[in-house]
Amino acid sequence: MKKLLYTSFVALAIGASACTAAQVQQTVDGVLAGTTTGVPVTQSEVASGLRQALEVGIKNGAGQASQTDGYYKNSLIRIPFPQDVQRVENTLRKIGLGSEVDRFVMTLNRGAEDAAKSAVPIFVSAIKQMTIQDAWGILKGDKDAATQYLKRTTSTQLTNAFKPVIRQSLDKTNATKYYSDLVYRYNQIPLVQKVNPNLDEYATQKAIDGLFLLVADEELKIRENPIARTTELLRRVFTKENQS
């Protein structure tokens, strides 16, 4: 019966020459969600829908990041040599240690990719704190409002939880060892200003920033692309919002 209803709606939408593509998609979305324009979403549905949207975005974003080259070959989130000691990289390249620098950058990103595998439960635990009032504000807010809310309310907790994970991952990929060797060799150069930046803090912040960027991209897809709404609740909440 539902399949027949779906087919009838599609036929009507396509047959109406005055309908735009957006209107056709809205009709299809409404059928898929089992809703009509006269049935408003409830506060509980909005809150649940936003939590679902964040979980979908987090899992997709972390999934991308945790793949081999998820950071390293993604120009948007690739972690470079620490900017505050850029002179270290420049000097080392000048004295023929460019390949050593490149190896470190690759292992640094490998560490972030490895750590990203552990990010999902940390993020998911954090979004459970979202209230119904928060959810309504996010639904009516900017296109990255959910991501910004998550960033605003969980960054400190994420940093504290993620730092030991990234530290373990950096050790696992030998990024810590390579970095220590590079800094040691740089500090042996006559007349240079000695450096000893904290690699754990730098890598942790960059890894988290990259994850948030990917989550924001996934949130935008869910808001704007019906295909990205992978559950009935997401279709119901975001279809109604797009129609309002």
Side-chain angles (χ1 to χ4, degrees):
M1 181 66 185
K2 188 172 182 180
K3 182 177 181 181
L4 177 61
L5 181 61
Y6 174 86
T7 304
S8 299
F9 266 105
V10 172
L12 284 171
I14 294 175
S17 58
C19 287
T20 65
Q23 288 170 327
V24 172
Q25 185 61 63
Q26 283 183 351
T27 301
V28 173
D29 275 354
V31 175
L32 286 174
T35 66
T36 63
T37 56
V39 181
V41 291
T42 66
Q43 289 186 345
S44 178
E45 284 179 319
V46 169
S48 296
L50 262 297
R51 292 189 187 104
Q52 261 192 22
L54 279 174
E55 286 195 36
V56 169
I58 286 164
K59 289 174 182 177
N60 288 344
Q64 293 177 49
S66 63
Q67 295 176 4
T68 300
D69 293 329
Y71 276 87
Y72 188 58
K73 290 191 177 180
N74 185 336
S75 60
L76 293 177
I77 64 174
R78 184 175 190 263
I79 305 177
F81 203 93
Q83 189 172 7
D84 58 345
V85 287
Q86 196 69 53
R87 65 182 183 279
V88 175
E89 177 180 2
N90 295 338
T91 301
L92 292 174
R93 289 190 184 281
K94 286 179 182 178
I95 63 174
L97 295 176
S99 62
E100 298 296 310
V101 172
D102 291 337
R103 181 176 64 172
F104 160 69
V105 171
M106 184 183 72
T107 56
L108 173 61
N109 283 270
R110 290 286 183 265
E113 291 158 10
D114 186 65
K117 299 173 184 176
S118 303
V120 173
I122 296 173
F123 276 97
V124 170
S125 176
I127 68 173
K128 292 180 180 179
Q129 305 303 316
M130 182 186 296
T131 66
I132 289 176
Q133 290 74 21
D134 292 329
W136 273 107
I138 289 168
L139 188 66
K140 299 295 184 181
D142 295 334
K143 292 181 178 180
D144 66 341
T147 304
Q148 290 302 320
Y149 169 84
L150 192 60
K151 183 183 294 186
R152 187 172 61 252
T153 59
T154 67
S155 287
T156 299
Q157 295 168 294
L158 280 171
T159 299
N160 292 337
F162 208 53
K163 188 177 291 185
V165 177
I166 196 76
R167 182 184 301 121
Q168 183 178 20
S169 296
L170 292 177
D171 290 342
K172 178 180 176 180
T173 60
N174 287 324
T176 304
K177 177 182 181 302
Y178 294 148
Y179 187 66
S180 297
D181 291 346
L182 286 173
V183 169
Y184 174 79
R185 294 173 81 169
Y186 174 82
N187 286 339
Q188 300 307 303
I189 299 173
L191 304 180
V192 300
Q193 182 180 351
K194 301 294 189 290
V195 298
N196 188 27
N198 189 314
L199 181 62
D200 290 349
E201 289 185 3
Y202 171 75
T204 297
Q205 189 58 55
K206 285 294 186 182
I208 290 175
D209 289 346
L211 283 172
F212 275 127
L213 191 62
L214 294 178
V215 170
D217 183 61
E218 291 297 324
E219 179 188 353
L220 184 61
K221 290 177 185 176
I222 290 170
R223 286 182 182 271
E224 297 189 342
N225 181 7
I227 296 175
R229 300 169 197 157
T230 56
T231 71
E232 182 174 327
L233 181 58
L234 289 181
R235 288 191 290 269
R236 177 170 166 77
V237 171
F238 286 98
T239 296
K240 301 297 286 187
E241 170 60 13
N242 288 348
Q243 290 174 343
S244 61

